[in-house]
Amino acid sequence: MNSDQLNVNKDYDLICVGAGIMSATLALLTKILKPDSKILILERLDDVALESSAAWNNAGTGHSALCELNYTPQKEDGSVNIGKAISICNQFEISKQFWSYLVSKNLMEDPKSFISNVPHHSWVTGAENVAYLKKRYEAMKTHFMFDTIEFTDEQQKMKEWFPLMMQDRQPEEVMAASRIDRGCEVNYGELTRKLFKILEEKYDTKVQCNEEVDDVDPDRPNEWSVKVKNTKTDQVRHLDAHHVFIGAGGGSLLLLQKVEIDEKTGYGGFPVSGEWLICKNPQIIDQHHAKVYSKAGLGDPPMSVPHLDTRFINGKRELLFGPFAGFSPKFLKEGSNLDLFKSIKFDNIPAMLGAFWHNLPLTEYLVKQVAMSFEDRMNDLRKFIKDAKNNDWELKVAGQRVQIIKKDEFEGGKLEFGTEVISSKDGSITCLLGASPGASTAVNIMLDVLEKAYPEILKTPESQKKLLKIVPFWQTEPTEKTFKENLQKVEAALQL
């Protein structure tokens, strides 16, 4: 769509800022439920899915708590709490239900191009961690979402599960692992492109690239004026929208701070960059078909959980290890070194200082990560692959994440590691902040956005009926029967 076409209609029901998986999901859900909605998606870069949604910029894991130990914390009494794991698992199933619906309606072809079955494993070393993993297994085994979980502390069994990692192990090494076969590997970049393709071909809703949103101001009652600047021509236009969704990844905070709503007060952001070690040797890549997550180091943040992952990117099998954290003041990979400084405002200084003071271990962790040499990173990899050779691996920069900092009554400010939707009182403007598990739970998050922004759509009998077909688990507690029936149906549609 060129600028002349865009100017034909300056009044929209919904403008989405950012062309990643969140905007694609929200726009498509809205169009399915209300096809006559006038929607525009604006993207500052040359194409869609180039930031957080891009395949190399995230872990590609279908986050469903099958292997991620940070979702199953050990309580003071020694028991393991699986409550968050149940919630995260259900949210990923909601995403899969939506994707399978699109496939079943012939709106999306070739699901294997974006989702693959790769078993999910947890792996730990040392007697204390082994004891924890066994308790986790026993707790998860009792719930129908995880009742196919397996556990072993036998090296021979682990050799069957992930043989590459078990080469050159000594019999006296203490370790254990768990496994759930139905784990998923997801290329979120390819998925995002498919969602936008549906929007363009089925609903005549195209993404306008090279368009940066500079500001969002209140206009007439129940309307917003969106100031847009073309990054190629510097042309500035003002578009009207009844609803605005800011889903610009790390760039969302800087735009939110310009919006005149009370709900933005006190929010800040802490940027963290990432890097992967990528395997260059096809013979090594072929020896590993698994996602293997371990435990973060003592005092390290959840983002630091090391994992060795099979990936499928652009039709090619890959192997990566990480993540390694770094520090950059940019809020986007293609952002500015001034982003962090621009985000510091009078109203969020107490939260920023409080979060810094109460997260000194995170600062220490990042300093150590930044100071790591290539050999240091390879030595971390050698905890997983003992004989890893330097010339078989290379370092690749991943995406930029901005962790949420928000006001806290007791600590002044608190650093959050999840995602959060900030919304005006009337829901007419919404903004997504934060990171993981992000893309995996995009459908659930965007349904929550719809509920805030478009309650009139979701509450109609027609929409309720459609939603039951599209995402049966949304706002519904699945039973063992419904969970397993839906799982079978979804996996058949997605060819898993």
Side-chain angles (χ1 to χ4, degrees):
M1 183 186 293
N2 60 38
S3 299
D4 292 336
Q5 289 174 300
L6 187 60
N7 284 326
V8 170
N9 177 18
K10 291 187 177 182
D11 190 14
Y12 294 90
D13 295 310
L14 170 66
I15 289 179
C16 295
V17 183
I21 192 168
M22 295 297 176
S23 290
T25 302
L26 177 62
L28 188 50
L29 280 167
T30 304
K31 276 292 191 179
I32 289 171
L33 295 174
K34 194 173 186 295
D36 62 347
S37 297
K38 290 178 286 185
I39 299 175
L40 177 66
I41 301 107
L42 299 168
E43 169 56 47
R44 62 189 285 269
L45 299 179
D46 295 335
D47 203 353
V48 304
L50 293 181
E51 277 283 352
S52 297
S53 300
W56 286 116
N57 288 348
N58 56 70
T61 300
H63 285 296
S64 42
L66 307 185
C67 61
E68 306 94 317
L69 300 179
N70 51 307
Y71 295 139
T72 51
Q74 190 164 11
K75 297 191 288 189
E76 289 184 5
D77 64 3
S79 62
V80 174
N81 184 350
I82 66 168
K84 188 170 184 179
I86 294 168
S87 174
I88 294 292
C89 183
N90 191 56
Q91 288 178 47
F92 185 58
E93 290 305 316
I94 287 171
S95 290
K96 285 162 62 183
Q97 286 170 357
F98 180 53
W99 305 335
S100 67
Y101 170 83
L102 297 176
V103 172
S104 69
K105 294 296 181 181
N106 297 316
L107 294 172
M108 188 156 63
E109 298 176 347
D110 189 21
K112 284 186 174 295
S113 65
F114 74 87
I115 190 167
S116 308
N117 172 236
V118 176
H120 283 199
H121 303 79
S122 303
W123 175 73
V124 297
T125 60
E128 185 177 339
N129 288 332
V130 168
Y132 156 75
L133 191 65
K134 189 168 186 180
K135 286 181 180 178
R136 176 183 181 272
Y137 157 76
E138 290 167 347
M140 296 182 80
K141 185 76 175 173
T142 62
H143 196 279
F144 58 81
M145 288 186 182
F146 312 108
D147 60 6
T148 60
I149 190 170
E150 300 176 70
F151 172 88
T152 188
D153 55 11
E154 297 177 4
Q155 291 192 19
Q156 186 57 44
K157 190 66 175 175
M158 284 179 250
K159 284 180 183 177
E160 298 174 16
W161 290 353
F162 34 79
L164 179 65
M165 288 176 51
M166 297 309 294
Q167 292 175 14
D168 300 325
R169 296 287 174 184
Q170 300 302 311
E172 62 270 17
E173 291 185 59
V174 177
M175 62 182 69
S178 63
R179 170 185 174 104
I180 295 183
D181 280 333
R182 74 167 192 273
C184 291
E185 143 70 11
V186 186
N187 184 330
Y188 292 106
E190 180 62 23
L191 170 61
T192 301
R193 286 186 285 274
K194 284 181 176 291
L195 298 179
F196 279 125
K197 185 179 179 184
I198 298 170
L199 279 163
E200 181 174 352
E201 295 182 353
K202 172 74 174 176
Y203 295 104
D204 194 28
T205 301
K206 299 180 181 181
V207 177
Q208 177 70 15
C209 292
N210 304 119
E211 296 286 349
E212 183 164 18
V213 175
D214 280 344
D215 203 357
V216 181
D217 289 314
D219 198 0
R220 296 184 292 275
N222 303 316
E223 200 161 272
W224 297 90
S225 176
V226 180
K227 181 183 177 183
V228 186
K229 180 180 179 181
N230 186 282
T231 59
K232 301 290 187 183
T233 65
D234 290 334
Q235 178 190 4
V236 175
R237 290 167 292 130
H238 292 82
L239 308 172
D240 293 331
H242 298 287
H243 299 86
V244 176
F245 169 67
I246 303 173
S252 294
L253 176 63
L254 291 173
L255 183 55
L256 175 66
Q257 290 177 331
K258 296 179 181 180
V259 181
E260 297 174 25
I261 57 172
D262 294 336
E263 290 78 9
K264 70 178 182 181
T265 303
Y267 279 90
F270 187 86
V272 179
S273 61
E275 295 176 322
W276 304 112
L277 280 173
I278 307 297
C279 187
K280 301 184 292 180
N281 188 331
Q283 292 181 332
I284 294 172
I285 294 170
D286 288 345
Q287 293 178 56
H288 189 80
H289 182 75
K291 286 184 177 285
V292 182
Y293 276 59
S294 194
K295 286 193 80 173
L298 189 63
D300 290 347
M303 72 180 82
S304 66
V305 173
H307 42 99
L308 182 67
D309 288 4
T310 294
R311 299 291 309 275
F312 292 97
I313 298 175
N314 300 327
K316 185 182 174 186
R317 183 163 159 176
E318 305 280 3
L319 181 62
L320 63 77
F321 175 76
F324 298 99
F327 176 77
S328 165
K330 295 181 179 182
F331 277 10
L332 290 164
K333 197 172 180 179
E334 300 294 331
S336 164
N337 285 317
L338 297 176
D339 287 345
L340 175 60
F341 306 102
K342 288 179 180 177
S343 75
I344 300 173
K345 308 293 182 184
F346 182 77
D347 66 73
N348 69 12
I349 288 176
M352 298 282 280
L353 290 175
F356 172 78
W357 180 253
H358 290 282
N359 287 276
L360 290 177
L362 173 60
T363 305
E364 182 183 357
Y365 164 77
L366 289 174
V367 169
K368 288 179 179 177
Q369 289 275 297
V370 171
M372 288 180 80
S373 65
F374 182 78
E375 187 63 27
D376 292 332
R377 289 171 168 83
M378 287 300 299
N379 285 333
D380 276 358
L381 171 60
R382 289 180 185 115
K383 295 171 186 175
F384 282 68
I385 305 174
K386 282 213 162 188
D387 66 343
K389 306 290 193 303
N390 287 17
N391 58 1
D392 288 331
W393 298 79
E394 64 181 348
L395 201 61
K396 188 177 184 71
V397 177
Q400 192 79 357
R401 298 288 184 269
V402 178
Q403 309 297 336
I404 303 167
I405 292 176
K406 58 192 294 188
K407 292 187 296 183
D408 183 79
E409 182 180 351
F410 301 104
E411 297 181 1
K414 184 175 286 189
L415 190 65
E416 301 283 344
F417 290 100
T419 50
E420 185 169 344
V421 175
I422 316 302
S423 171
S424 60
K425 286 185 179 66
D426 63 358
S428 61
I429 188 161
T430 50
C431 175
L432 182 70
L433 299 180
S436 183
S440 293
T441 58
V443 178
N444 190 76
I445 295 171
M446 292 302 100
L447 282 167
D448 286 344
V449 168
L450 268 177
E451 191 174 29
K452 289 182 171 72
Y454 281 111
E456 67 274 16
I457 294 180
L458 290 188
K459 289 180 180 178
T460 66
E462 184 182 0
S463 291
Q464 292 289 321
K465 189 176 179 181
K466 270 187 183 177
L467 276 174
L468 277 175
K469 289 182 179 179
I470 299 169
V471 282
F473 288 178
W474 188 60
Q475 293 190 337
T476 301
E477 287 290 333
T479 64
E480 181 172 3
K481 183 175 184 291
T482 59
F483 181 82
K484 294 189 172 178
E485 286 177 350
N486 273 276
L487 184 64
Q488 187 176 20
K489 180 181 175 182
V490 164
E491 288 184 342
L494 296 177
Q495 302 173 31
L496 295 172

